[in-house]
Amino acid sequence: VRPAYLEIPMALERTLSIIKPDAVGKNVIGEIYTRFEKAGLKIVAARMKHLSRAEAEGFYAVHRERPFFNALVEFMTSGPVMIQALEGDNAVLKHRDLMGATNPKDAAAGTIRADFADSIDANAVHGSDSLENAAIEIAYFFPSTDVHAR
Ligand code: GDP
Ligand code: MG
């Protein structure tokens, strides 16, 4: 039995979540928030926003050269999105696990994308893929004074 003092402590992290226009349109913001809360992720900042083309292009700048970039920007500006910063133990990976695979056809049963996404384009949610990107993405949408430590 490992003594308690050798247990590796969980890292308290923050990650950026976006409920995309398709899921906002399906009126499932609350259902998705409930999944975050039940998994122990706290909402520490939130805002609804209809992204401009420039805002969506800036947010997804890493995908600029990808063939799907234009479709992605079109989709992300097609209606309002719900943007939140989530805080909790291992928040980045925990949130990615709740989301499921990028293509809903590959998403595990019970994940947000399996339950709410229609296609690889309209796939319901965004989540930061690393702690480093999480910090960049949270700062993209929230001034630090709008992120509330809990
Ligand atoms: P994510 O981190 O799981 O959201 O996936 P990526 O960072 O790889 O891609 C960002 C977003 O671009 C995805 O959520 C999809 O909406 C979209 N996307 C990714 N790959 C493809 C693709 O092969 N085709 C299309 N049409 N869209 C894609
Ligand atoms: Mg990604």
Side-chain angles (χ1 to χ4, degrees):
V1 177
R2 286 169 65 81
Y5 65 83
L6 284 180
E7 290 300 321
I8 298 163
M10 294 262 195
L12 188 68
E13 295 179 350
R14 287 178 179 169
T15 191
L16 186 83
S17 152
I18 302 178
I19 301 175
K20 295 185 178 184
D22 57 324
V24 172
K26 287 179 179 174
N27 204 25
V28 292
I29 293 170
E31 288 198 43
I32 293 172
Y33 270 26
T34 297
R35 292 176 187 219
F36 297 155
E37 291 174 349
K38 287 196 166 145
L41 295 173
K42 295 178 178 178
I43 296 157
V44 294
R47 69 192 288 208
M48 184 176 267
K49 194 165 172 33
H50 194 141
L51 300 180
S52 69
R53 171 162 280 275
E55 284 167 333
E57 285 175 350
F59 182 73
Y60 280 116
V62 292
H63 295 308
R64 211 167 30 229
E65 306 302 332
R66 304 278 203 96
F68 58 80
F69 181 68
N70 266 313
L72 177 59
V73 169
E74 282 295 319
F75 171 64
M76 288 301 286
T77 58
S78 66
V81 297
M82 191 71 202
I83 309 164
Q84 40 285 324
L86 306 176
E87 183 181 86
D89 288 333
N90 291 319
V92 173
L93 203 60
K94 188 179 275 184
H95 180 226
R96 294 288 306 195
D97 285 347
L98 292 175
M99 289 166 56
T102 305
N103 189 337
K105 287 179 188 155
D106 303 326
T111 60
I112 294 168
R113 281 167 165 167
D115 290 343
F116 302 120
D118 296 321
S119 67
I120 195 165
D121 300 272
N123 65 355
V125 281
H126 166 85
S128 309
D129 61 6
S130 68
L131 200 51
E132 186 190 8
N133 284 336
I136 294 166
E137 292 179 357
I138 290 169
Y140 190 82
F141 287 117
F142 298 106
S144 59
T145 49
D146 286 351
V147 183
H148 301 277
R150 294 175 54 195

